[in-house]
Amino acid sequence: MKINKLKSLAAALSLPAGSNMAHALMPWNDGPPDIVIYTSGGAAQDRAIDLAVVSSLVEPETDDWFSDKTSTGSIGSRWRAYYFVGKSTLGEGLAGRKILFEKRSYGTAGYGVVPLVGNDGRGISMEHFNIQGLPQTIWTADGAKRWVASITGANASTYLAKVLSDAGFLGADPGILLKLGTESYPEQVKELISGRFEADWPTDIDRFPDTFAALIG
């Protein structure tokens, strides 16, 4: 995972830890999160991220998952958000806090690097899953603590918001992925809200900036 910026997380480290909640978090009952982290990139890591979030970040029994459901029935293959209480072992600032961790897989590996590096390192805003402020009535239950929604161009503005990614996941060697002038170089996918490509997609990125920090190789 390559980190561009984690301003929300850094700010949270200075907050006092709250008391742990014993119930699963739902935005229509528990209000907005204290910390929001948006990520994007390789779909190959989706299952590993599911397991890592539950085992390392979540206070047991406090997590609800929100996922998109495609026309083919695939759940979470484009967007997924986890809303949970930070595990007691995370330390001050994260333990006991309400955390929203979102993963965009739409666009696959290229969206784990190009939008983060673009715009001279300032990043390019793109569609991320937004569950804040949404009522329970627009979700369909998919088992205990699991919620899904079918997102199309007609309702995308309800479920998606254009924001910068805080972190990116890669499912390919960056040296191969960012090889200029080849089929490997990341291509765009169209936005659901507008039906168009994001503006200012760079086609000349051939490496990660030195200011990026590699948390996971």
Side-chain angles (χ1 to χ4, degrees):
M1 181 169 67
K2 305 294 181 179
I3 296 298
N4 179 9
K5 55 188 182 308
L6 287 177
K7 293 181 179 178
S8 299
L9 187 57
L13 294 176
S14 64
L15 297 174
S19 59
N20 289 343
M21 301 178 185
H23 62 275
L25 291 187
M26 293 172 283
W28 47 86
N29 288 336
D30 298 288
D34 301 314
I35 302 161
V36 181
I37 301 171
Y38 294 106
T39 71
S40 56
Q45 286 82 29
D46 284 354
R47 182 55 181 159
I49 292 170
D50 288 344
L51 296 174
V53 168
V54 171
S55 63
S56 301
L57 302 179
V58 172
E59 186 68 14
E61 304 302 322
T62 67
D63 58 311
D64 268 52
W65 296 16
F66 298 81
S67 307
D68 78 295
K69 185 175 182 179
T70 67
S71 58
T72 61
S74 176
I75 295 176
S77 63
R78 296 184 299 178
W79 288 277
R80 174 165 288 162
Y82 316 82
Y83 196 23
F84 57 91
V85 174
K87 199 170 186 176
S88 59
T89 56
L90 290 178
E92 185 175 354
L94 296 176
R97 308 301 294 182
K98 295 185 294 183
I99 299 173
L100 174 60
F101 185 98
E102 183 262 10
K103 168 72 161 61
R104 169 184 165 141
S105 301
Y106 185 50
T108 64
Y111 277 71
V113 54
V114 174
L116 282 77
V117 179
N119 195 20
D120 295 324
R122 293 186 294 272
I124 299 172
S125 295
M126 56 183 169
E127 293 172 329
H128 279 281
F129 214 17
N130 174 41
I131 70 169
Q132 299 183 63
L134 300 183
Q136 182 178 358
T137 53
I138 68 171
W139 299 97
T140 299
D142 186 47
K145 303 191 298 178
R146 301 291 185 267
W147 306 89
V148 298
S150 298
I151 304 176
T152 66
N155 65 9
S157 60
T158 298
Y159 294 97
L160 304 176
K162 293 196 68 174
V163 296
L164 296 172
S165 282
D166 295 306
F169 296 91
L170 291 182
D173 184 293
I176 297 175
L177 184 69
L178 299 177
K179 195 170 183 61
L180 301 181
T182 70
E183 293 184 359
S184 298
Y185 193 85
E187 295 183 352
Q188 289 182 269
V189 293
K190 289 184 177 180
E191 297 179 334
L192 268 67
I193 294 174
S194 70
R196 300 187 297 269
F197 294 117
E198 285 101 353
D200 303 320
W201 184 267
T203 58
D204 58 353
I205 296 172
D206 58 1
R207 65 182 182 87
F208 287 109
D210 295 335
T211 53
F212 273 41
L215 295 191
I216 302 176

